[in-house]
Amino acid sequence: MKSTVEHLSPTRVRINVEVPFDELKPDFDRAYKKIAEQVRIPGFRPGKAPARILEARIGRGPVLDEVVNNAIPTKYQEAVVSSEDVTPIGRPEIEVTEIADGERLAFTAEVDVRPEIELPDLAGLTVEVDETEVSEDDVTEQLDQLRARFGTLAGVERPAQDGDYVQIDLSAAVDGTEIEEATTTGFSYEVGQGGLIEGIDEALQGMSAGDEKTFTSTLVAGEYADREAEITVKVTTVKERHLPDADDEFAQLASEFDTLDELTENLRERLGQSKRMEQAAQARDRLLDKLVEGARVGEDPVPLPESVVQAEVDTRAHDAVHAFDHDEDKFAEFLSSQDKTREQFDAETREEAEKAVRYRLVLDALADAEQISVGDQELTERIVYQAQQYGMPPEQFVQQIQQAGQLGVIYQDVRRSKALITAVRSASVTLPDGEAVDLSDLLGSDDDTEDGAVEEVPGEVVATDDATDGGTDTGTAGSTDGTAEQADEKADAKA
């Protein structure tokens, strides 16, 4: 077999392949056997008719079609392997250019490829991260959130104000027609929390039990979306929340600690650790941006294979509409509620897709340059983690990703994560004042990515901690998980 590669652009090649018919003998044997099992010829058992009898009965054409269809994928892969500088990242477009029966088979394959990316020197990169100082206000906020878990509600004989809990009846009408789906009774709502109906908080402030008020608001969903409606709200009860005193007794009630000082010190430590995780996530994200910014193909920024970008766009758009059972009208209503048009959504989706593809290209080049490998244990840990995220048994999750052909995707995710961690270790991480920051305890060892390492890749749904498309959610609310879980258990017991 002979093959040559034409570089059509930095991200696309045409592979020309010519295969002598002598190399296709195994393919002809398989074709004859398959066709013989499908064609009934008098005097021969199924699958036993010789080739010359088959060809006399059905002609040479079907045999050649079977051979060509089976041979091309294999020969294409052989041509890719023999071309050391070609790394396909998309499906090839195959065109058969010649079938000279008894002589040769020739075809071309155009495919998107990963460009040859030149990376900046990792040791020369510096990223700046925020301070991790924990203020007394931070600790007080965490303590108040913990106290709120054990708070009680008591009815009050006064007008409602922000922070109160009210029980309300709601109804809405457009041009005098009452909207059934916008009617509810006995609804509990915290005044000032927002997100229910525009104008509801302003209406509720100052209302007492038994009061009724009507105001105008624009509906954001349903049959009357974007229409002004008359909203009627009636308050049936007003309650205020009473928080337990912050003292040693509360510490014993809400945690495993005996004193308030011990509890607050534990909250301070957890907040500090959470801020350090935020710091590590900042270092990761900002370094990746610098890697992408400094990566070059020749003198130009990293180009993007259009078919790969379009596939990413299609996937993201499909997932967005899938959440609405592929009902385009419902999806349009959702976009409208977000003050966004479909054109804006499509533009944002393409921008996000291009960013994700560029990240992956650069990280794959980095993984190659650093000779990153992924062990079975690392792959297993990632699969188990993702199975937990989906609430599935690992065995069932593995079966599904294998059927979907996604096992290789998870492998690549882990490899890219490890490559990015390697880059963070090699770069300089500093505070705004220039002081160096040591993140080694959060990044795992040099040989692997330990549990808890910050290894998420923006644009990828991969993580050892909570992750989203945009990266890690390491807000302070998550910093007291241990204490919060104990508090929930004790609050439940109290209830």
Side-chain angles (χ1 to χ4, degrees):
M1 184 185 78
K2 295 189 299 184
S3 64
T4 59
V5 178
E6 297 178 61
H7 289 270
L8 306 178
S9 75
T11 62
R12 195 163 181 84
V13 299
R14 179 187 293 121
I15 304 175
N16 304 292
V17 181
E18 187 175 302
V19 186
F21 259 50
D22 289 345
E23 293 186 21
L24 298 178
K25 185 179 184 309
D27 297 283
F28 273 99
D29 291 341
R30 283 190 291 270
Y32 285 130
K33 183 177 180 180
K34 179 179 179 180
I35 293 173
E37 291 174 348
Q38 297 172 342
V39 177
R40 294 285 185 178
I41 298 180
F44 295 93
R45 295 196 304 273
K48 298 301 182 180
R52 60 183 180 81
I53 299 297
L54 284 172
E55 290 190 8
R57 183 65 176 267
I58 65 173
R60 179 73 166 173
V63 177
L64 288 177
D65 288 343
E66 182 70 24
V67 169
V68 169
N69 290 336
N70 288 332
I72 284 180
T74 302
K75 297 305 178 183
Y76 164 74
Q77 290 296 334
E78 290 179 9
V80 169
V81 171
S82 65
S83 304
E84 296 180 358
D85 62 339
V86 173
T87 305
I89 53 175
R91 292 189 176 185
E93 295 179 6
I94 304 291
E95 180 182 358
V96 177
T97 55
E98 184 181 13
I99 302 178
D101 195 1
E103 296 183 21
R104 62 183 169 273
L105 163 68
F107 66 90
T108 63
E110 285 194 20
V111 64
D112 282 333
V113 296
R114 198 178 76 206
E116 292 294 325
I117 299 174
E118 182 178 349
L119 298 167
D121 178 23
L122 297 180
L125 295 179
T126 300
V127 292
E128 185 179 290
V129 294
D130 296 339
E131 297 274 3
T132 60
E133 181 181 355
V134 177
S135 69
E136 288 304 314
D137 287 343
D138 293 333
V139 177
T140 299
E141 181 182 355
Q142 287 291 302
L143 182 60
D144 287 345
Q145 290 179 10
L146 194 58
R147 291 168 63 202
R149 295 172 184 264
F150 291 84
T152 57
L153 296 178
V156 292
E157 299 292 333
R158 60 165 175 77
Q161 59 190 28
D162 280 353
D164 286 342
Y165 285 80
V166 293
Q167 193 170 63
I168 57 178
D169 298 337
L170 278 173
S171 62
V174 173
D175 296 334
T177 301
E178 187 168 334
I179 306 171
E180 185 176 348
E181 61 266 27
T183 300
T184 184
T185 59
F187 184 77
S188 180
Y189 179 73
E190 181 184 359
V191 181
Q193 75 176 35
L196 182 59
I197 300 172
E198 185 179 354
I200 187 70
D201 290 306
E202 292 79 3
L204 288 172
Q205 289 172 355
M207 292 182 67
S208 300
D211 289 350
E212 184 175 300
K213 185 181 292 186
T214 299
F215 62 97
T216 301
S217 185
T218 301
L219 301 178
V220 297
E223 180 182 354
Y224 295 94
D226 299 324
R227 299 275 301 275
E228 282 197 348
E230 296 295 316
I231 310 296
T232 300
V233 55
K234 180 178 181 180
V235 176
T236 56
T237 62
V238 178
K239 295 181 179 181
E240 65 179 4
R241 170 169 288 190
H242 295 286
L243 302 183
D245 293 334
D247 52 21
D248 292 347
E249 183 178 351
F250 170 71
Q252 295 165 19
L253 171 68
S255 71
E256 76 274 28
F257 301 106
D258 293 325
T259 67
L260 182 64
D261 288 342
E262 290 175 327
L263 172 58
T264 54
E265 182 58 30
N266 178 262
L267 292 176
R268 184 176 288 104
E269 291 175 358
R270 289 179 177 273
L271 279 168
Q273 181 67 8
S274 175
K275 285 180 177 288
R276 291 201 69 234
M277 289 297 293
E278 290 178 359
Q279 200 177 58
Q282 279 183 345
R284 176 206 67 203
D285 295 349
R286 293 173 182 179
L287 182 62
L288 180 54
D289 286 337
K290 284 204 169 187
L291 278 172
V292 171
E293 182 182 349
R296 287 291 181 271
V297 173
E299 299 295 325
D300 301 319
V302 176
L304 298 177
E306 177 54 33
S307 68
V308 179
V309 172
Q310 188 58 52
E312 183 75 14
V313 169
D314 293 343
T315 297
R316 288 170 180 257
H318 173 274
D319 290 346
V321 180
H322 179 73
F324 298 87
D325 297 325
H326 297 280
D327 188 321
E328 290 286 350
D329 291 336
K330 289 182 179 178
F331 184 57
E333 289 180 8
F334 167 76
L335 291 178
S336 177
S337 72
Q338 304 297 307
D339 293 326
K340 187 180 298 184
T341 65
R342 182 58 189 251
E343 290 74 19
Q344 290 173 320
F345 168 79
D346 290 340
E348 291 175 4
T349 300
R350 171 160 285 274
E351 182 179 351
E352 293 166 357
E354 290 178 350
K355 188 175 182 179
V357 171
R358 187 170 281 111
Y359 280 158
R360 293 201 290 264
L361 290 175
V362 171
L363 287 175
D364 285 341
L366 177 63
D368 287 348
E370 297 295 327
Q371 298 182 331
I372 301 295
S373 60
V374 177
D376 291 342
Q377 182 64 26
E378 292 170 319
L379 186 60
T380 299
E381 288 174 356
R382 177 59 61 82
I383 290 172
V384 170
Y385 172 80
Q386 291 196 339
Q388 292 172 342
Q389 294 296 95
Y390 283 98
M392 298 170 59
E395 299 80 7
Q396 181 184 354
F397 183 72
V398 169
Q399 184 179 14
Q400 288 197 5
I401 61 177
Q402 285 179 332
Q403 291 175 347
Q406 294 295 300
L407 189 59
V409 174
I410 295 180
Y411 176 93
Q412 289 296 339
D413 286 348
V414 177
R415 188 168 183 260
R416 291 168 186 147
S417 298
K418 293 185 66 177
L420 185 52
I421 291 174
T422 298
V424 176
R425 292 195 197 102
S426 301
S428 298
V429 182
T430 67
L431 295 175
D433 62 4
E435 180 184 350
V437 176
D438 182 9
L439 299 174
S440 57
D441 60 320
L442 300 177
L443 298 176
S445 68
D446 290 335
D447 298 324
D448 55 24
T449 53
E450 297 176 350
D451 289 342
V454 179
E455 61 170 39
E456 307 92 310
V457 179
E460 303 292 316
V461 186
V462 290
T464 50
D465 297 290
D466 295 337
T468 66
D469 286 350
T472 311
D473 178 8
T474 52
T476 55
S479 64
T480 56
D481 282 346
T483 303
E485 289 173 3
Q486 294 159 3
D488 282 340
E489 293 174 359
K490 296 191 175 186
D492 289 343
K494 178 184 176 184

